[in-house]
């Protein structure tokens, strides 16, 4: 990608979840970005998955008020390590969070979720 407009678009990153292990379904913390820029791309990076038939479903929610949430992106179900990218938008929200659902017997996933704004 040599077009500078493309590079600039992906320069701001909001880490919704730093790479850590998770063994229960979670609603991540709200991340208030202040102004209302458009989010454009989200990525899920799974570095480890353990358990018996573990599954991980991750979605990103946006909110204008931090109370009412709308799903703005959803990743394909993960069962092993790997990386996924999904488009987000063209919605503009002030606050974003990740939401995860773990399945299987004693699942543990180590992963991160990042939003490009």
């Amino acid at each position: 990608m040599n077009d500078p407009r493309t590079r600039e678009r992906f320069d701001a990153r909001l880490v919704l979840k730093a790479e850590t292990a998770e063994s229960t379904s979670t609603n991540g913390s709200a991340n208030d970005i202040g102004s209302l820029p458009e989010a454009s791309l989200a990525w899920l990076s799974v570095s480890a998955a353990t358990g018996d038939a573990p599954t991980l479903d991750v979605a990103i929610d946006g909110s204008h008020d931090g109370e009412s949430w709308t799903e703005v992106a959803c990743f394909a179900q993960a069962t092993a390590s790997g990386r996924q990218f999904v488009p987000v938008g063209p919605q503009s929200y002030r606050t974003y969070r990740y939401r995860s659902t773990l399945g299987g017997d004693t699942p543990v996933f180590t992963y991160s979720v990042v939003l490009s704004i």
Side-chain angles (χ1 to χ4, degrees):
M1 290 190 210
N2 292 327
D3 184 342
R5 293 170 298 170
T6 304
R7 284 196 311 271
E8 290 172 11
R9 183 171 184 177
F10 299 109
D11 280 348
R13 295 181 186 161
L14 175 62
V15 177
L16 298 178
K17 181 187 181 301
E19 185 173 7
T20 56
E22 189 172 271
S23 59
T24 59
S25 299
T26 303
N27 283 335
S29 300
N31 292 272
D32 190 332
I33 59 173
S35 62
L36 298 173
E38 277 188 17
S40 55
L41 184 70
W43 59 93
L44 168 67
S45 180
V46 178
S47 60
T50 61
D52 186 18
T55 61
L56 171 66
D57 294 290
V58 176
I60 295 177
D61 298 329
S63 175
H64 294 293
D65 60 10
E67 299 292 325
S68 300
W69 296 94
T70 301
E71 185 175 294
V72 297
C74 185
F75 297 95
Q77 186 175 77
T79 58
S81 61
R83 186 174 287 196
Q84 299 180 43
F85 300 89
V86 295
V88 178
Q91 308 95 332
S92 294
Y93 291 96
R94 180 180 175 99
T95 307
Y96 291 91
R97 71 175 184 189
Y98 81 96
R99 180 172 32 91
S100 67
T101 304
L102 279 70
D105 188 23
T106 63
V108 178
F109 281 87
T110 302
Y111 68 101
S112 61
V113 180
V114 177
L115 185 64
S116 173
I117 52 176

